[in-house]
Amino acid sequence: MATGGFGRGGRGAALLQALKDGTRKPGDQDEKPVGVQQATQPPPIAMGRGDILRGLVAARSAPPPTPGGAPDQAPIGLARGRGLAAMQALLQGRGRSMPLPQQAQQLPVGQASPQQTRQSPGAQASPQKQHPPAGQPSPPRAGPGSAGQPSPGQPSPGHSSTQQLEGRFARMATEDRRPTVSNVGKDGKAVALSGNYIRIRCANPGVYQYHVDYRPMVDSKNMRFKMLNEHRDVIGQVKAFDGSILYLPIRLPDQETVVISKRITDGVDITLTIRLTRVVPPESCLMVYNIIFRRIMYILQMVQVGRYFYNPKTPSAVPQHKLEVWPGYITSVCENEGGLMLLADASHRVLRTQTVLELMQQIVQRNSSGFQDECVKKLVGTVVLTRYNNKTYRIDDIIWDKSPAHSFPCKNTGESITFQEYYKKAYNKNIQDDQQPLLLHRQKKKRTPQGMEQQCENICLIPELCYMTGLTDELRSDFRVMKDIATHTRVSPAQRKLTMGKFVNSVNSSPEASQELANWGLSFDNDTIDIEGRQVQEEKIIFRDGHVMAGPQADWGRDATRKTVITAVDLKNWIVLYTKRDSAAVQEYISMMLKCCPQMGIQCNNPTRYELRDDRTETYIKSLRDNINPTVQMVVIIFPTSRDDRYSAVKKLCCVECPVPSQVIIAKTIKDQKKLRSVTQKVGLQINVKLGGELWALSIPMSNLMVVGIDVYHDATRGKRSIAGFVSSTNKECTRWYSRVCFQLPGQELIDGLKICMTSAIRKYHEVNHTFPEKVVVFRDGVGDGQLSIVGGHEVEQLKQCFRQFGDNYNPTMTVVVVQKRINARIFLKTNRDLENPPPGTVVDHTITRREWYDFYLVSVYIVGMTSTLFLSM
């Protein structure tokens, strides 16, 4: 608390002084009695911001002290108050002064600001001095040695300040960058690889970042753009601007460039101050460079659908399913350990040739009474494509009480026009059905530079002109549909490289696209990069009666069904529920279970069978409640078809109301006699694991190790809460696990629940092994690129705090590995003939890895379409 009158501001000082003076009674006189000498009181000290500013201005305008005279007293407001006032008083005592803020600096009358000032063609003349236009002679200046001009051979003050400012910007750019993290492994044999990365080269030293200030303030973003575009002769033709931050490939002559525009709405002059804030090196210009490549995509006449761009001119039709596939590209500029690179990959977008109106008509024919509710369920939240402008929209609602015959005020003219007339006039489209409802798309809310939300207009769409995009669950579950689509979307490594070569050629062959890159000093190689990776040795899979090697394809599924599991749980008391129409398939399945389980070391008895009269969800639930008892080990339910609501109801009963291990099987998976044995073996192994058995293990050299796995699921249907699954090993072989689930409520940090899970896992490990783990390895999934810093900084430190609950001396080694599976990086194996998919166990830990993280790529499984997983260690 401030004492002695040194408050933080003028109000606080005055209040403290009033409290010291005591209470004044009615009738008391202000003057002292006659004959009593009055003590000399110092003038009140003002300590507010305004008094400090007035004191600084007074100090500047005061005459200099005479030699030998008494030192001047610090101006009022400087001796006490905030740290700024005390610092200014100290500097004045030493013969120096602090620079005033730009708003407080005042120039003498008639002196021009040392800034470049320019007016737009319609603006009025400004009283400030203007620089001569380029190409015209400058006005006469005083010769060398004159006042205000440096003599020859001496750098001008402006030149010196510019050098200092650029040096400061360079230091800022260097200090902001974290050091490069490089950890290259040595185990395994070297393999020649290639990736879908193309090196980018920049001829410029970087990008110049400016802040554009509008006085008076202009809220409209479009008007900001128009005003800035009026001065292209000053800033140049090439720019990237978001309304306040301006990026230029060139440096303007002055640190501050002042131009004037006239606001067209009221004719007021708006002063634009373009101030250089920093010089961004090429490695830190990723956002700007990605914007440039988005422009190139539009130059190449690509259409953005979702996040990526596609070519609507070369679609591949799948007429038997009313589908078509658009080819496209994925592009992303990123800074890797090997420098600035462009990630490029082939992408495909599946579109339906079916319009929204056709889908609504099908729903009406199928369900005439409740078609509106079904249409809302099927359409709201989906993305549609309008082919007249090749744009995508998200359907947010259906307007049933409006049709294309309704009118609306036209934005440009203000006249009333119907939707039919508008689409005919704007896009030359004739709407056939004038009674169809309208689809509503709500635009995302935008904010002004001051943080205020702007009013966004809603867009009404015509179902007849909107085409469905993506695949429904019904189409995804149809094997024939997915097989026919795969012929167009499944791309081999050689085809991927050919696609990247086409993209490079299309950019180089387009004069406009090439000029866009040249404007920013960018160019890229004509071929993808070559990298050297390594393939680690195969793992040894341990069973109870021996061990096998994982094999070149990392597939030991056949050995798992022939060998004996490590720990078998005999299946003695289990029940099977099924409908009458599936009774024959169920009989074949049970016979195969009794035959296959003993071969894997699992003893299996005949189950208790319950045949249901129908496949209603209520029938399954009632039968389960009637027959589940504490002696039942396992419940196997055979569904005739796949239905999410029925599956959820059964799982909720078996997991929450009457806890018992359960296994759900779709009837068609056990009706194919050719695959029945393979399916039964896999189901038998899965049942053994659910009962607490152990199938196989790996040879893990570390002791007292606890492996933790964390995955996060974001439930958008329940208030966007997140659910985290947490598992941890409890034995040396990592074959037994402890599991928990935690929920993240809105406004709550996920780490709060994870700390409870980690503490419980350590207690469980001590309960089983009678010792605490010395090494903890956490595999964290469900983390996006924007959350890496949070996980690496905040979450890891919070998890470490769990160790303190077990004593001050307990400090195990913890490693957190973030796993990302949905990545666009592709790795290819180079052979004598062509490119192939790399074998399992291939590792890449340099060149294409991130510069600031310790990460590596791992090809974990053998698959026809190459896949890789990114691991980031923290």
Side-chain angles (χ1 to χ4, degrees):
M1 180 177 177
T3 58
F6 290 87
R8 277 184 170 264
R11 292 187 295 270
L15 179 60
L16 290 173
Q17 186 65 34
L19 292 175
K20 286 184 178 181
D21 291 341
T23 307
R24 182 173 178 270
K25 298 180 182 180
D28 288 351
Q29 301 296 325
D30 292 336
E31 294 81 16
K32 295 291 182 183
V34 178
V36 179
Q37 185 178 359
Q38 277 189 310
T40 303
Q41 298 291 336
I45 299 175
M47 304 178 189
R49 297 185 185 91
D51 295 289
I52 292 175
L53 185 59
R54 283 192 292 272
L56 292 175
V57 176
R60 284 210 161 193
S61 59
T66 59
D72 292 339
Q73 186 178 1
I76 294 175
L78 297 179
R80 298 172 182 172
R82 295 187 182 233
L84 176 63
M87 181 61 70
Q88 182 69 28
L90 178 63
L91 294 178
Q92 283 188 353
R94 296 186 177 183
R96 299 164 58 189
S97 63
M98 290 179 63
L100 286 172
Q102 298 230 353
Q103 291 81 354
Q105 291 183 2
Q106 297 183 1
L107 297 175
V109 178
Q111 181 178 345
S113 173
Q115 300 168 346
Q116 178 183 353
T117 306
R118 182 189 180 276
Q119 290 180 314
S120 62
Q124 296 179 357
S126 173
Q128 293 177 321
K129 181 180 177 181
Q130 298 187 18
H131 285 271
Q136 296 185 10
S138 302
R141 296 185 299 176
S146 301
Q149 295 295 333
S151 59
Q154 294 181 352
S156 65
H159 177 73
S160 176
S161 62
T162 300
Q163 286 185 337
Q164 293 177 359
L165 191 61
E166 290 185 347
R168 181 161 58 91
F169 287 150
R171 289 194 301 273
M172 288 171 53
T174 305
E175 291 172 358
D176 292 343
R177 289 170 58 81
R178 295 168 56 184
T180 302
V181 178
S182 180
N183 291 280
V184 181
K186 298 180 180 179
D187 293 341
K189 64 177 182 180
V191 290
L193 303 172
S194 179
N196 61 331
Y197 287 88
I198 304 172
R199 292 190 184 275
I200 294 180
R201 310 189 186 279
C202 184
N204 296 342
V207 173
Y208 297 91
Q209 177 179 314
Y210 294 84
H211 180 269
V212 184
D213 186 51
Y214 293 79
R215 286 292 181 270
M217 182 62 66
V218 177
D219 293 334
S220 173
K221 195 171 183 178
N222 291 334
M223 191 171 293
R224 285 169 168 251
F225 276 89
K226 291 179 180 179
M227 290 182 178
L228 186 65
N229 289 335
E230 292 175 357
H231 308 284
R232 288 185 177 271
D233 55 336
V234 176
I235 64 175
Q237 299 295 324
V238 182
K239 73 177 189 310
F241 185 54
D242 65 353
S244 60
I245 303 299
L246 173 66
Y247 293 97
L248 296 178
I250 59 173
R251 188 186 184 282
L252 299 182
D254 297 305
Q255 299 297 132
E256 282 191 6
T257 302
V258 179
V259 294
I260 299 176
S261 294
K262 184 179 291 293
R263 188 159 53 192
I264 60 176
T265 56
D266 53 5
V268 174
D269 288 344
I270 306 297
T271 302
L272 282 69
T273 304
I274 307 173
R275 184 181 299 109
L276 177 65
T277 57
R278 62 180 300 195
V279 181
V280 187
E283 295 79 9
S284 302
C285 300
L286 304 183
M287 180 183 67
V288 179
Y289 292 161
N290 278 301
I291 294 175
I292 295 171
F293 275 93
R294 286 172 61 89
R295 293 178 181 173
I296 290 176
M297 289 299 184
Y298 288 115
I299 292 173
L300 298 178
Q301 298 182 350
M302 307 287 283
V303 175
Q304 184 177 7
V305 182
R307 297 176 58 186
Y308 307 126
F309 289 83
Y310 302 90
N311 188 358
K313 298 181 180 179
T314 58
S316 300
V318 189
Q320 63 271 29
H321 306 296
K322 295 183 178 180
L323 300 173
E324 66 179 15
V325 181
W326 284 11
Y329 302 104
I330 298 173
T331 58
S332 175
V333 180
C334 51
E335 184 193 10
N336 296 327
E337 193 174 333
L340 201 63
M341 299 183 185
L342 172 68
L343 183 148
D345 192 23
S347 179
H348 297 86
R349 184 73 178 189
V350 179
L351 303 175
R352 286 187 264 174
T353 57
Q354 181 185 36
T355 64
V356 175
L357 180 60
E358 293 173 350
L359 178 62
M360 297 176 74
Q361 290 173 348
Q362 291 180 0
I363 295 175
V364 171
Q365 295 175 0
R366 187 170 60 248
N367 183 10
S368 58
S369 59
F371 73 93
Q372 289 191 359
D373 294 337
E374 190 173 350
C375 286
V376 170
K377 184 178 179 181
K378 292 280 187 182
L379 295 176
V380 172
T382 60
V383 177
V384 297
L385 172 72
T386 52
R387 295 180 184 267
Y388 50 80
N389 59 358
N390 282 329
K391 290 186 178 181
T392 56
Y393 302 91
R394 184 183 185 272
I395 300 178
D396 295 308
D397 202 355
I398 302 177
I399 308 176
W400 297 101
D401 56 350
K402 287 189 177 181
S403 66
H406 281 73
S407 59
F408 66 96
C410 184
K411 186 177 181 180
N412 296 331
T413 61
E415 299 178 355
S416 181
I417 186 174
T418 65
F419 287 96
Q420 287 178 314
E421 296 171 346
Y422 171 78
Y423 278 95
K424 177 62 177 177
K425 183 178 179 180
Y427 301 105
N428 195 24
K429 293 291 182 180
N430 295 316
I431 299 177
Q432 305 297 328
D433 188 354
D434 58 354
Q435 298 299 321
Q436 57 185 309
L438 301 182
L439 307 177
L440 180 65
H441 166 71
R442 297 188 180 95
Q443 292 182 309
K444 292 183 179 180
K445 294 182 179 180
K446 299 180 180 179
R447 291 184 178 272
T448 62
Q450 294 76 29
M452 304 295 292
E453 289 188 356
Q454 289 182 337
Q455 187 73 20
C456 296
E457 297 180 349
N458 297 330
I459 298 177
C460 293
L461 303 172
I462 309 299
E464 183 180 329
L465 304 178
C466 298
Y467 290 83
M468 303 294 296
T469 65
L471 297 175
T472 63
D473 294 336
E474 298 176 0
L475 293 175
R476 293 182 186 276
S477 60
D478 192 332
F479 174 76
R480 292 183 224 177
V481 174
M482 300 307 294
K483 183 179 179 181
D484 294 338
I485 294 176
T487 58
H488 302 280
T489 59
R490 185 169 293 173
V491 184
S492 65
Q495 291 173 330
R496 286 187 185 275
K497 187 170 183 179
L498 182 62
T499 301
M500 289 182 281
K502 289 181 179 179
F503 171 73
V504 173
N505 293 334
S506 61
V507 174
N508 292 333
S509 60
S510 172
E512 190 176 353
S514 300
Q515 185 62 39
E516 182 69 25
L517 287 176
N519 290 337
W520 296 88
L522 296 178
S523 62
F524 50 77
D525 294 347
N526 294 327
D527 200 0
T528 57
I529 64 171
D530 294 333
I531 50 180
E532 182 179 289
R534 51 193 175 90
Q535 183 183 6
V536 298
Q537 61 182 359
E538 299 177 8
E539 291 290 340
K540 182 170 64 174
I541 312 300
I542 302 173
F543 295 94
R544 187 168 64 181
D545 54 352
H547 66 272
V548 298
M549 300 306 294
Q553 298 183 0
D555 183 12
W556 60 93
R558 181 172 298 181
D559 295 316
T561 58
R562 294 178 179 178
K563 295 287 185 179
T564 305
V565 298
I566 295 177
T567 303
V569 179
D570 296 337
L571 197 57
K572 298 179 180 179
N573 187 4
W574 57 301
I575 62 177
V576 179
L577 277 69
Y578 58 94
T579 58
K580 184 176 181 180
R581 61 179 175 178
D582 299 325
S583 58
V586 170
Q587 177 61 40
E588 295 291 336
Y589 162 72
I590 294 174
S591 301
M592 190 62 68
M593 277 285 291
L594 298 175
K595 181 180 179 180
C596 294
C597 287
Q599 298 175 359
M600 299 180 291
I602 306 171
Q603 298 302 319
C604 182
N605 297 341
N606 267 310
T608 304
R609 311 178 191 182
Y610 295 97
E611 184 178 298
L612 307 179
R613 63 179 182 273
D614 54 53
D615 62 349
R616 297 173 58 193
T617 303
E618 296 80 3
T619 305
Y620 280 96
I621 298 300
K622 184 178 184 303
S623 179
L624 287 171
R625 286 175 176 164
D626 294 341
N627 297 290
I628 292 178
N629 57 71
T631 62
V632 175
Q633 290 179 282
M634 171 64 63
V635 175
V636 178
I637 306 102
I638 311 295
F639 282 168
T641 57
S642 176
R643 275 178 47 186
D644 291 340
D645 58 338
R646 182 168 53 196
Y647 177 83
S648 300
V650 168
K651 282 296 183 180
K652 181 180 179 181
L653 175 67
C654 296
C655 294
V656 180
E657 298 181 20
C658 306
V660 61
S662 59
Q663 179 69 44
V664 176
I665 303 174
I666 305 300
K668 68 177 183 179
T669 60
I670 58 176
K671 288 183 177 180
D672 190 350
Q673 293 296 322
K674 297 180 181 179
K675 300 180 181 179
L676 179 60
R677 183 181 184 87
S678 175
V679 170
T680 304
Q681 289 173 338
K682 291 180 174 60
V683 171
L685 292 174
Q686 192 170 351
I687 289 176
N688 187 69
V689 172
K690 290 183 177 181
L691 294 176
E694 303 168 62
L695 303 184
W696 46 267
L698 299 175
S699 178
I700 300 177
M702 291 182 287
S703 59
N704 292 336
L705 169 69
M706 184 176 75
V707 178
V708 176
I710 302 174
D711 197 1
V712 181
Y713 168 72
H714 304 285
D715 189 359
T717 61
R718 299 186 179 183
K720 295 185 178 180
R721 68 174 182 175
S722 299
I723 302 133
F726 183 100
V727 296
S728 63
S729 62
T730 59
N731 62 343
K732 182 180 182 302
E733 294 78 15
C734 295
T735 56
R736 292 187 175 274
W737 299 83
Y738 168 78
S739 62
R740 286 197 63 157
V741 175
C742 63
F743 296 88
Q744 178 191 15
L745 300 177
Q748 179 188 13
E749 290 191 8
L750 183 62
I751 189 62
D752 296 337
L754 295 181
K755 289 171 65 176
I756 299 175
C757 295
M758 177 65 77
T759 304
S760 303
I762 296 174
R763 288 198 179 100
K764 185 66 176 180
Y765 187 94
H766 184 272
E767 177 186 335
V768 175
N769 301 280
H770 307 291
T771 184
F772 291 112
E774 298 177 357
K775 306 174 188 66
V776 179
V777 178
V778 180
F779 288 94
R780 178 76 157 86
D781 201 354
V783 180
D785 290 343
Q787 300 173 312
L788 288 176
S789 299
I790 298 176
V791 174
H794 176 65
E795 191 171 296
V796 172
E797 293 300 324
Q798 293 293 314
L799 289 176
K800 287 182 178 179
Q801 292 182 5
C802 301
F803 304 147
R804 302 176 185 174
Q805 302 184 21
F806 302 95
D808 296 337
N809 297 328
Y810 179 60
N811 188 20
T813 303
M814 184 176 71
T815 301
V816 178
V817 182
V818 175
V819 184
Q820 293 182 338
K821 300 183 293 295
R822 296 182 179 180
I823 57 178
N824 295 319
R826 297 291 183 265
I827 303 172
F828 313 118
L829 177 66
K830 297 181 67 176
T831 62
N832 295 330
R833 295 177 299 176
D834 209 342
L835 297 178
E836 296 179 359
N837 290 324
T842 301
V843 176
V844 177
D845 51 9
H846 62 89
T847 306
I848 63 173
T849 53
R850 306 184 191 215
R851 192 189 68 86
E852 300 178 350
W853 295 96
Y854 172 33
D855 58 347
F856 61 93
Y857 291 93
L858 170 65
V859 181
S860 56
V861 296
Y862 178 83
I863 192 169
V864 177
M866 197 283 300
T867 182
S868 60
T869 305
L870 176 62
F871 294 84
L872 297 99
S873 180
M874 299 179 179

